[in-house]
Amino acid sequence: MTTRDTNWPAGYPCWIDISFDTEHRRLHHAATFYGELFGWRVEEGDEQYGGYRMCFKNDAAVAGLAPKMDPQQPSVWLLYLASDDAAATTAAVRQYGGQVIVEPMDVGNLGTMSVCVDPQGGVFGVWQGKEHHGFELIDEPGSVGWSDLLTHDGTAAQEFYAAVFGYTYREADADGYFFIEKDGQVVGGLHQAPQDVPVGWLVHFNVASRDASAQIAQELDGEIIMTLDTVAGPEATIQGLGGELFNLVEPTTNFTL
């Protein structure tokens, strides 16, 4: 278990959130889904921040749920990477061939954010924390334990993230899989995925039991896409109520921060 009450170092995964349509109470249903699946307490959104809801596990902030600003926006878990200077990091994204969806913007006194796309199409956020530092808890059941970048061009993806965030890489035993390291610390994984697999960051939530949690997700109207056994432990890929994909992992090995 890792707890934190200061900003995460630059380049580290530091936060996740997801947006849902408020029509037909989909945001409310998502809060119930994740609350029951992971044991989260979901706070009602503050209108000052557009109704953004904070999710807590054991009173520690672990994720955010938000109303969609654009009905066409897909519901996907967005992983934020920490930055000491969001404007400079966003400029580097452009410099090295990425795109910017949301320009750097202040979120009240909480921090500064942008949303970017790497040259292979993977979407990620940039977060420069102020009052909100990001994850207060990871590696505990019901919190984020791991994130994988799925890409169709592993070499190009490595070059981009190395240039923007200073990542280095260490090849794992699995074919086409690399550990992402920052200053010698493992912070995630990079996997050269088949062409039929969508690119992007896949968030993994730790659970006490893969099978039990997958069954709960299914009972809550989620869908079990597949189950698999990995070097990290038993995993399941789940599709949530908005079509979002995420993994459950029952960790037997700790690679994380």
Side-chain angles (χ1 to χ4, degrees):
M1 179 177 69
T2 300
T3 59
R4 193 173 188 93
D5 60 5
T6 58
N7 284 344
W8 288 87
Y12 277 52
C14 67
W15 190 243
I16 55 167
D17 61 22
I18 187 170
S19 299
F20 288 94
D21 199 328
T22 54
E23 292 184 11
H24 311 297
R25 294 173 57 82
R26 288 176 185 163
L27 180 60
H28 172 78
H29 295 155
T32 299
F33 175 84
Y34 285 104
E36 294 190 19
L37 178 59
F38 294 131
W40 289 353
R41 172 173 58 85
V42 182
E43 288 194 349
E44 287 296 322
D46 190 328
E47 291 305 317
Q48 177 184 357
Y49 299 112
Y52 192 95
R53 301 185 182 197
M54 296 289 287
C55 305
F56 297 86
K57 178 71 176 183
N58 302 334
D59 293 324
V62 292
L65 303 178
K68 284 185 180 180
M69 299 295 103
D70 179 354
Q72 303 304 315
Q73 175 187 352
S75 292
V76 295
W77 280 108
L78 178 65
L79 178 72
Y80 291 80
L81 303 175
S83 172
D84 295 329
D85 185 334
T89 299
T90 305
V93 168
R94 279 200 175 96
Q95 178 182 351
Y96 293 104
Q99 300 177 29
V100 179
I101 299 175
V102 178
E103 297 288 346
M105 57 178 287
D106 291 331
V107 185
N109 295 321
L110 299 179
T112 303
M113 64 163 286
S114 66
V115 180
C116 303
V117 187
D118 67 36
Q120 289 69 50
V123 180
F124 62 94
V126 174
W127 181 255
Q128 178 186 347
K130 296 175 185 173
E131 291 183 2
H132 175 58
H133 307 300
F135 295 129
E136 295 177 348
L137 177 72
I138 61 170
D139 298 337
E140 180 80 359
S143 67
V144 171
W146 189 253
S147 296
D148 275 335
L149 175 63
L150 306 180
T151 182
H152 296 157
D153 189 337
T155 299
Q158 287 186 26
E159 292 173 353
F160 171 80
Y161 284 94
V164 176
F165 292 103
Y167 290 163
T168 56
Y169 307 92
R170 176 164 49 88
E171 190 168 9
D173 292 336
D175 184 38
Y177 191 89
F178 291 81
F179 293 117
I180 301 172
E181 297 184 339
K182 175 69 176 180
D183 298 327
Q185 184 71 42
V186 176
V187 298
L190 185 152
H191 180 57
Q192 175 121 0
Q195 291 295 319
D196 60 344
V197 173
V199 300
W201 288 90
L202 180 63
V203 175
H204 294 55
F205 295 95
N206 282 15
V207 293
S209 167
R210 185 264 317 263
D211 293 341
S213 292
Q215 180 63 32
I216 291 171
Q218 190 172 53
E219 291 171 356
L220 293 169
D221 294 329
E223 181 180 352
I224 302 171
I225 302 300
M226 66 176 178
T227 59
L228 63 162
D229 293 317
T230 72
V231 66
E235 295 191 28
T237 300
I238 304 296
Q239 186 173 59
L241 303 185
E244 73 278 11
L245 297 177
F246 60 92
N247 270 24
L248 307 174
V249 57
E250 180 185 335
T252 57
T253 303
N254 181 20
F255 296 121
T256 53
L257 315 184

